[in-house]
Amino acid sequence: MSNDNGAVATPEAPFSFEVTDVTGTNSFVASDVARKIPAGAVASALADRMSLPTNVPWTLRDETSSAFLDDTLPIGDQIADQARVTITPKAHLG
């Protein structure tokens, strides 16, 4: 697997992805993210970076599959380099 500049991506190599808030008004590219960090920790860091409320639990949703990422699993195991994700508050229903 290679990235846009032709370099071969390794499982340990950091990667980048685009993140948008649930309203679609704020987005940026998260760069050099370590693939082994749990998705929940990444969501919390991104929420802080986007000045979203810190007293709300946040989760990430993959725009390609519409699946919510598992907070406990490494983010690099769940999305590909250059993916697009939405950060959304967790809904605790039922």
Side-chain angles (χ1 to χ4, degrees):
M1 172 171 41
S2 66
N3 60 22
D4 290 340
N5 63 14
V8 175
T10 65
E12 297 81 27
F15 73 121
S16 302
F17 55 91
E18 183 179 350
V19 59
T20 304
D21 69 9
V22 71
T23 66
T25 58
N26 190 6
S27 68
F28 69 97
V29 174
S31 301
D32 297 323
V33 177
R35 295 174 184 273
K36 293 183 178 185
I37 298 174
V42 174
S44 294
L46 293 172
D48 185 52
R49 161 75 169 75
M50 297 175 91
S51 299
L52 297 172
T54 56
N55 62 340
V56 174
W58 297 97
T59 192
L60 299 173
R61 184 173 55 86
D62 182 356
E63 289 298 313
T64 301
S65 67
S66 296
F68 285 95
L69 304 187
D70 184 320
D71 289 344
T72 63
L73 296 177
I75 191 161
D77 290 352
Q78 300 182 74
I79 60 171
D81 193 33
Q82 306 303 315
R84 294 180 63 201
V85 300
T86 300
I87 187 166
T88 182
K90 284 187 181 180
H92 296 284
L93 303 174

